[in-house]
Amino acid sequence: MKLRYALAFWSIVSAIAPMGISGAGTLVVDATAAYPEGPLWRNGKLLYVEYAGPGIKIWDGKHLRSYWSGDHCGASGLISYRRNHILVACYDANQIVELDEIGRQVRVIDKDGAGRPFIGPNDFAADGAGGIYVSASGVYDLKAPISGTILYLPPGKGTLVEMANLIHYSNGLALSKDGKSLLVSEMLAGRILQFPVKPDGTLGPRTVWARMQDLAPPTPHEDAYNGPDGFKLGPDGNYYIAHNGSGRVLVVSDDKKLVRIITVPTPYVTNMNFGADGTGTVYITGVFDPWKAPFPGAVYRWTK
């Protein structure tokens, strides 16, 4: 979710990010992250973006440093791509940037295969066959026309193809446990959509997989902007949903039963991903104040 230009809908709780521990089993990796998102465990290190920062940071377990910077990018998501490359979603620049194995820029994609620009590239999901699905969220405003889309980057160096549209702020996405569907966070509708995946990667008609209100009890101060942000299928076969506006990650089984709630101090949880030991370690990104510079946030490591 991007709220840099949106109105606040929650009065922020007292600043507790600098504390080293935010709860049992939760360690703060970065207490001064500027709107962090898109955590990615890669080659024994954690990478994540700072939407309100210069680009990508990397953490080796002891030290933080800059990995890549992109002017006016507004980075939102990361995914491994083609051997040891990385794709970066540049939400503000309306671009997808490909980096090589040492973080050098290889190419920039700013249009789909039909020559049309896309608005707000946000997150990624791999299809297991070398292709990548991309959410292009559209405008983060309940009153704006619904303009979220799902794009697909075929294996190899293909061009982006629009697979679905008219999604009310498409955000996190993941292939289902059986590999037959793409699940997509429709953030401003407060629900998860399901699209059948065809052999060529195209998507069938959408259905509603689940509504957030049916997965877990509401939290205080929820409003119309509260909804699902990052979305991942965990190595344990459960789905992990960043519940933005509620300060938590919902862990949900394949039959849509709530397994666990992971809470963190940042009310606006943006995304999560898994470490070397799978769901035994979950890296979580979140924001305290997503509407006022310097957009303070934090990165957490949660362990069972």
Side-chain angles (χ1 to χ4, degrees), residues 169-282:
Y169 206 82
S170 49
N171 206 322
L173 61 172
L175 214 61
S176 62
K177 186 177 178 180
D178 62 9
K180 296 180 179 180
S181 299
L182 183 71
L183 303 177
V184 179
S185 295
E186 189 178 24
M187 189 171 185
L188 293 186
R191 61 188 185 179
I192 308 295
L193 299 177
Q194 180 174 13
F195 296 85
V197 175
K198 300 177 182 180
D200 61 356
T202 57
L203 302 178
R206 75 195 70 188
T207 55
V208 176
W209 185 78
R211 291 176 172 82
M212 297 297 285
Q213 65 192 29
D214 297 327
L215 296 177
T219 53
H221 309 293
E222 283 191 10
D223 70 0
Y225 283 89
N226 182 289
D229 200 317
F231 187 93
K232 297 286 190 301
L233 172 63
D236 58 1
N238 293 319
Y239 298 100
Y240 288 66
I241 307 168
H243 195 174
N244 200 296
S246 288
R248 62 190 184 181
V249 174
L250 303 182
V251 184
V252 179
S253 65
D254 199 35
D255 59 356
K256 307 167 194 173
K257 303 297 184 183
L258 185 64
V259 174
R260 181 183 297 113
I261 296 177
I262 302 171
T263 59
V264 292
T266 45
Y268 304 91
V269 181
T270 56
N271 217 327
M272 70 273 122
N273 217 327
F274 312 100
D277 57 346
T279 52
T281 302
V282 184

Side-chain angles (χ1 to χ4, degrees), residues 49-135:
V49 302
E50 287 184 300
Y51 167 68
I56 304 173
K57 278 186 176 178
I58 187 168
W59 181 65
D60 64 5
K62 295 182 179 179
H63 306 289
L64 284 167
R65 64 177 176 86
S66 175
Y67 181 77
W68 175 80
S69 295
D71 291 340
H72 311 295
C73 171
S76 179
L78 294 175
I79 195 169
S80 296
Y81 177 65
R82 296 183 61 244
R83 299 179 183 177
N84 214 17
H85 287 204
I86 291 175
L87 296 180
V88 187
C90 288
Y91 182 94
D92 283 352
N94 296 318
Q95 297 174 342
I96 295 168
V97 175
E98 181 180 350
L99 307 178
D100 69 10
E101 61 275 2
I102 60 172
R104 295 177 303 193
Q105 183 171 305
V106 175
R107 64 168 170 161
V108 173
I109 306 171
D110 60 4
K111 294 179 177 62
D112 65 18
R116 298 171 299 196
F118 41 85
I119 301 173
N122 200 329
D123 211 349
F124 302 102
D127 68 355
I132 302 290
Y133 291 101
V134 185
S135 60

